[in-house]
Amino acid sequence: MFKFLAKKFVKDYKNIDNPVVRLNLISLSSIMGIAMNILLFLSKIFLGIYTRSTAILNDAFNNLSDSVVSIMSFLGSSFSKKPADEEHPFGHGRVEYVMALLVSIVIVYVGLNLFINSAKSFNEPNPNGLNLLSFVILFAGILIKVYIYLLNTKLYNDLESDLNLGVMLDARNDIISTTAIILGVFLQRYVSFNLDAAMGVVVAFFVTKPGIDLFNETVGYLLGERIDRDIEKEISDIILSGKYIRGFHHLDLHQYGKGHIAGSCHVEVPGNITVAELHNDIDSIEKKIRKNTGVILTLHSDPTYNISDKEG
């Protein structure tokens, strides 16, 4: 389904290296997530009220929070597409990280509320059992979440978007929690305590944990954690491949959204060659770095030695 919609609504949808195409695919997946999660919320809220099941009601509101997550994912990808302007010369790519951070806060908030509600329901009567329609609705919900999980897993691997990661983790946890609800209803007859409330606590845990993980990861991005060491190594090798460059220092790289890394570096060059010769060498290195890694790097020349006629 997603491939069909991407082909129809996203121009050049296979070119995921294009930042605009990447963000358009994230937006499309978010719209699909909104529609599916609202459908699941409406069906489960009705089912939870009918069966008096706290765990099912918790699961319904978890689906509602998932739709909020998808809305925020859509907004994040939409704002990230805005081009650079005078106030934001490196573009708006970090909006994706800001939205991912807000998504993590929403997930944690919902999870804590689900835990509180479940803990309060331990002394309430056990819920009614599931009829065939109830079982069909819950099982259909699992199948929908499996699709959402597989879709966002692929998109996360292809696009490296924390927004897709958040949706993927939510879907995975929903699969686990809804399965636990079904098992809890069938096992309730064999225990005397309110197993539904216990399952509600389990659901709350699986909602909260990935929210905390996503929060920690996005905070790392926003605080400017170190760029991938493999990229640094490749850049270092290219710099040292320059004809006149003997060393470098102060390699500073900054990420302004996925696929948008810029930085600067001081390179050690001879002080007794022409400006034209030096410029040609530096320019070729900068172009090679951008072509091979996608990083926009500005090299600053530090004349630290003189080249002999024999070396020249």
Side-chain angles (χ1 to χ4, degrees):
M1 181 192 300
F2 180 80
K3 186 175 180 180
F4 170 78
L5 294 175
K7 187 175 181 180
K8 190 174 182 63
F9 295 108
V10 180
K11 184 178 179 181
D12 196 21
Y13 73 98
K14 291 184 178 180
N15 185 17
I16 59 176
D17 291 329
N18 184 323
V20 175
V21 172
R22 173 182 176 274
L23 291 170
N24 284 336
L25 291 173
I26 296 172
S27 295
L28 178 60
S29 67
S30 300
I31 293 172
M32 290 179 62
I34 294 168
M36 291 179 178
N37 282 304
I38 289 178
L39 176 63
L40 289 173
F41 167 73
L42 293 175
S43 60
K44 288 181 182 179
I45 197 72
F46 169 79
L47 183 60
I49 293 173
Y50 173 74
T51 60
R52 295 189 292 112
S53 170
T54 301
I56 294 177
L57 288 174
N58 283 354
D59 206 30
F61 281 102
N62 183 33
N63 289 142
L64 182 62
S65 74
D66 292 345
S67 67
V68 174
V69 167
S70 294
I71 291 171
M72 296 173 74
S73 175
F74 174 76
L75 293 174
S77 59
S78 297
F79 280 111
S80 294
K81 286 184 286 189
K82 292 181 63 178
D85 54 36
E86 187 176 347
E87 298 297 324
H88 306 88
F90 293 99
H92 297 75
R94 284 183 175 173
V95 172
E96 183 178 339
Y97 300 146
V98 174
M99 280 299 180
L101 181 66
L102 295 177
V103 163
S104 69
I105 294 172
V106 169
I107 293 174
V108 172
Y109 173 79
V110 171
L112 292 176
N113 274 278
L114 296 184
F115 174 80
I116 293 171
N117 291 335
S118 297
K120 289 180 178 178
S121 67
F122 269 101
N123 295 324
E124 295 179 1
N126 295 334
N128 299 327
L130 291 177
N131 57 27
L132 180 59
L133 177 61
S134 301
F135 177 79
V136 168
I137 291 174
L138 289 177
F139 187 72
I142 292 176
L143 293 180
I144 290 174
K145 283 297 181 177
V146 168
Y147 173 77
I148 294 175
Y149 172 78
L150 293 176
L151 170 62
N152 283 276
T153 298
K154 184 177 187 309
L155 291 176
Y156 173 63
N157 291 331
D158 292 343
L159 309 179
E160 298 183 356
S161 170
D162 282 341
L163 296 174
N164 286 116
L165 174 62
V167 176
M168 180 194 80
L169 292 174
D170 265 342
R172 181 201 67 183
N173 297 332
D174 288 345
I175 294 167
I176 295 173
S177 60
T178 305
T179 302
I181 289 169
I182 295 174
L183 290 175
V185 171
F186 284 110
L187 295 175
Q188 182 65 70
R189 69 189 69 178
Y190 302 108
V191 296
S192 57
F193 63 92
N194 191 329
L195 186 59
D196 178 73
M199 289 297 183
V201 171
V202 172
V203 171
F205 170 78
F206 281 108
V207 171
T208 307
K209 178 61 167 59
I212 295 174
D213 293 340
L214 183 58
F215 178 88
N216 291 332
E217 183 173 345
T218 51
V219 165
Y221 285 133
L222 291 171
L223 291 179
E225 68 179 7
R226 187 169 186 170
I227 302 298
D228 192 320
R229 292 179 184 271
D230 290 336
I231 295 178
E232 285 189 2
K233 177 65 168 58
E234 186 173 2
I235 291 174
S236 299
D237 292 341
I238 295 174
I239 290 175
L240 294 176
S241 70
K243 180 179 179 181
Y244 297 111
I245 297 175
R246 287 191 174 176
F248 67 90
H249 56 94
H250 287 89
L251 173 60
D252 297 322
L253 299 173
H254 308 280
Q255 188 160 289
Y256 297 93
K258 294 294 183 181
H260 188 177
I261 302 175
S264 61
C265 181
H266 293 241
V267 292
E268 299 173 6
V269 296
N272 62 335
I273 60 175
T274 66
V275 174
E277 287 179 297
L278 182 58
H279 169 76
N280 290 336
D281 193 32
I282 293 294
D283 189 56
S284 66
I285 292 297
E286 290 176 340
K287 288 179 179 178
K288 187 175 181 181
I289 289 172
R290 184 163 188 176
K291 179 182 178 181
N292 291 12
T293 68
V295 176
I296 303 172
L297 191 68
T298 301
L299 299 181
H300 173 75
S301 302
D302 282 348
T304 59
Y305 72 97
N306 289 330
I307 192 168
S308 67
D309 293 335
K310 185 176 180 180
E311 289 178 302

